[in-house]
């Protein structure tokens, strides 16, 4: 089945949808302060407040909504959850482009998180459709789509924003994503054996309890939270650290952008490699090795006296990070019952999103209390702790149900 035309067509379409949505959303993030000015928030303190609020808003609603969408996917079909996620993101991006006040934009960002969730809906569809021996490859391919979108979004989007402005770019990206959802409704094929049966719904608290009752899954979820917290906590301290390493601080933004591109480029290159490796080697071993690689590369970024030495460390960080989220989804999908796979992946995504929120808030706190060098060590230690959690969990090789 992994080589069938239908499966390959499905995977290509899922890849395209995830790439488009990631690219469109990553355009917005670095330009939020500028867009707030366009919406009338010119005063510095107010601009920072609204930028921070709108940055965190989608993660909060996504964390709450993902398990609910996953449960609906288990009952109605995972194809329609992919279409729902693409359509929801398309609508929210168009509305963001039409917003005229910061409050309207905030509501649109909340809608984005509540109606989005392309990553977990695509992961649930791919996990259900892929044969067990190719499940890792499928999830690795989807991870590469997110990495490619995160790389292309800020680079291409920045240039197009200078030419057209952010508002037309949001409208155009929303329309493209909407077109992708229509194509998905027409082209995506859900095989008969992957269509979930009409099982009685399981309460969400019981789903969480079932996941945490399983020692391996519990270790992966906690390790995933640590990894997301470490990655997002690093955002707060990285740019100021790069500035201190430059002779001309006026070029700091360019250096940060290039180093970020190196990281996402490495994530793109590593995603498929780790996905294939997860099909051949124990996923616990792969996660632990990758998390250790991330932790070491992040901690070592505190040592260079020149910004150029950060390039190999950022490459290693991105290459290793590409293994982590897909490994969490893979482990959850392997242990989940077929009729509850969507809700369990949705719950797992909620935990990973909680790690993002925890890291963003914790990074802001740590940057004010610790010297940058110690902040890097602390973020690297979060990855090392996650690696230890997974390494201590029981190993079961590559056998799948």
């Amino acid at each position: 089945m992994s080589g069938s035309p239908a499966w390959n067509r499905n995977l290509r379409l899922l890849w395209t949808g995830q790439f488009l949505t990631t690219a469109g959303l990553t355009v917005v993030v670095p330009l939020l302060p500028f867009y707030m000015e366009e919406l009338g928030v010119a005063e510095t303190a107010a601009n920072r407040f609204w930028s921070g609020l709108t940055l965190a808003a989608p993660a909060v609603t996504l964390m709450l909504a993902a398990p609910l969408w996953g449960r609906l996917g288990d009952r109605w079909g995972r194809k329609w959850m992919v279409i729902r996620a693409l359509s929801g993101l398309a609508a929210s991006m168009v509305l963001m482009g039409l917003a005229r006040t910061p409050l309207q934009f905030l509501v649109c960002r909340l809608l984005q998180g509540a109606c989005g969730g392309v990553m977990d809906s695509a992961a649930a569809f791919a996990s259900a459709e892929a044969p067990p021996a190719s499940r890792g490859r499928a999830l690795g391919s989807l991870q590469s789509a997110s990495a490619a979108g995160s790389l292309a979004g800020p680079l291409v989007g920045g240039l197009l924003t200078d030419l057209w402005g952010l508002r037309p770019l949001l409208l155009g990206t929303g329309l493209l994503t909407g077109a992708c959802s229509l194509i998905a409704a027409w082209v995506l094929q859900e095989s008969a054996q992957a269509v979930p049966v009409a099982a009685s719904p399981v309460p969400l608290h019981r789903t969480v309890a079932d996941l945490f009752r399983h020692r391996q899954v519990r270790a992966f979820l906690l390790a995933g939270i640590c990894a997301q917290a470490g990655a997002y906590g690093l955002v707060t301290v990285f740019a100021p650290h790069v500035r201190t390493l430059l002779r001309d601080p006026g070029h700091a933004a360019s250096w940060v952008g290039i180093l970020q591109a190196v990281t996402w480029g490495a994530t793109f290159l590593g995603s498929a490699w780790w996905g294939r490796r997860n099909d051949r080697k124990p996923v616990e071993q792969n996660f632990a090795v990758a998390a250790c690689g991330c932790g070491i590369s992040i901690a070592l970024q505190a040592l260079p006296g020149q910004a150029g030495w950060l390039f190999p460390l950022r490459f290693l960080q991105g290459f290793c990070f590409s293994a982590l989220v897909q490994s969490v989804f893979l482990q959850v999908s392997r242990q989940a019952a077929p009729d509850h796979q969507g809700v369990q992946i949705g719950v797992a995504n909620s935990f990973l999103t909680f790690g993002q929120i925890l890291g963003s808030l914790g990074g802001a706190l740590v940057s004010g209390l610790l010297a940058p060098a110690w902040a890097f060590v602390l973020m690297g230690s979060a990855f090392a702790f996650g690696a230890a959690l997974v390494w201590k969990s029981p190993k079961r090789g590559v056998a799948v149900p």
Side-chain angles (χ1 to χ4, degrees):
M1 177 183 171
S2 62
S4 68
W7 167 241
N8 288 326
R9 184 169 59 248
N10 284 341
L11 192 57
R12 284 194 296 269
L13 186 56
L14 292 173
W15 196 99
T16 302
Q18 193 147 314
F19 169 80
L20 275 177
T21 54
T22 305
L25 295 175
T26 52
V27 169
V28 178
V29 172
L31 301 175
L32 271 177
F34 300 151
Y35 200 50
M36 287 298 109
E37 291 177 359
E38 189 173 337
L39 295 176
V41 186
E43 200 271 322
T44 303
N47 190 295
R48 289 178 180 174
F49 170 78
W50 280 104
S51 296
L53 197 61
T54 54
L55 179 62
V60 175
T61 48
L62 176 60
M63 183 177 67
L64 297 174
L68 301 175
W69 290 125
R71 182 161 65 180
L72 289 176
D74 288 335
R75 301 194 69 192
W76 295 349
R78 299 182 181 99
K79 167 183 174 177
W80 296 107
M81 289 301 101
V82 174
I83 296 166
R84 181 270 312 159
L86 289 170
S87 301
L89 277 175
S92 63
M93 282 192 278
V94 169
L95 290 173
M96 279 189 270
L98 297 174
R100 289 294 182 269
T101 68
L103 182 58
Q104 290 176 357
F105 187 77
L106 174 64
V107 172
C108 296
R109 292 280 286 175
L110 290 169
L111 179 67
Q112 171 199 320
C115 297
V118 173
M119 178 182 291
D120 48 309
S121 61
F125 184 94
S127 297
E129 286 287 330
S134 299
R135 199 174 288 167
R137 180 179 71 86
L139 292 174
S141 177
L142 293 179
Q143 177 69 30
S144 74
S146 294
S150 298
L151 175 62
L155 294 177
V156 178
L159 295 174
L160 294 179
T161 300
D162 287 338
L163 290 174
W164 302 333
L166 185 57
R167 196 180 295 274
L169 189 59
L170 283 170
L171 293 172
T173 306
L175 292 175
L176 279 175
T177 306
C180 190
S181 71
L182 293 177
I183 295 172
W186 182 264
V187 174
L188 272 186
Q189 295 182 15
E190 195 167 11
S191 59
Q193 65 266 30
V195 176
V197 296
S200 57
V202 177
L204 290 179
H205 71 273
R206 191 175 134 196
T207 300
V208 175
D210 289 343
L211 286 173
F212 273 80
R213 191 177 296 118
H214 194 288
R215 186 178 172 187
Q216 280 180 305
V217 174
R218 180 174 68 244
F220 269 83
L221 289 176
L222 294 175
I225 292 173
C226 291
Q228 294 288 76
Y232 280 78
L234 187 65
V235 173
T236 308
V237 298
F238 182 68
H241 177 64
V242 171
R243 182 182 293 162
T244 65
L245 301 180
L246 299 174
R247 293 182 179 178
D248 183 3
H251 293 145
S254 298
W255 274 89
V256 170
I258 294 171
L259 288 165
Q260 191 72 355
V262 168
T263 307
W264 283 115
T267 303
F268 174 72
L269 294 175
S271 296
W273 187 85
W274 285 108
R276 292 191 298 269
R277 186 175 173 84
N278 278 341
D279 286 330
R280 301 192 305 265
K281 302 289 185 180
V283 66
E284 301 88 355
Q285 172 186 311
N286 294 334
F287 186 99
V289 170
C292 281
C294 261
I296 292 170
S297 64
I298 289 173
L300 289 178
Q301 289 175 44
L303 297 180
Q306 296 180 354
W309 288 104
L310 294 174
F311 280 99
L313 296 174
R314 294 291 290 187
F315 186 91
L316 178 61
Q317 175 191 333
F319 188 87
C320 292
F321 186 78
S322 66
L324 303 183
V325 173
Q326 62 167 301
S327 296
V328 174
F329 285 152
L330 177 61
Q331 185 65 14
V332 171
S333 70
R334 284 178 173 177
Q335 303 301 333
D339 55 345
H340 296 135
Q341 195 172 81
V343 67
Q344 293 203 354
I345 288 179
V347 169
N349 195 43
S350 291
F351 278 103
L352 295 178
T353 305
F354 173 72
Q356 295 178 15
I357 299 172
L358 187 65
S360 299
L361 297 176
L365 178 64
V366 165
S367 64
L369 297 177
L370 299 178
W374 287 108
F376 276 89
V377 171
L378 182 62
M379 300 306 167
S381 298
F383 285 92
F385 183 70
L389 286 174
V390 168
W391 188 257
K392 290 177 65 178
S393 67
K395 311 298 187 295
R396 303 206 176 177
V398 293
V400 291

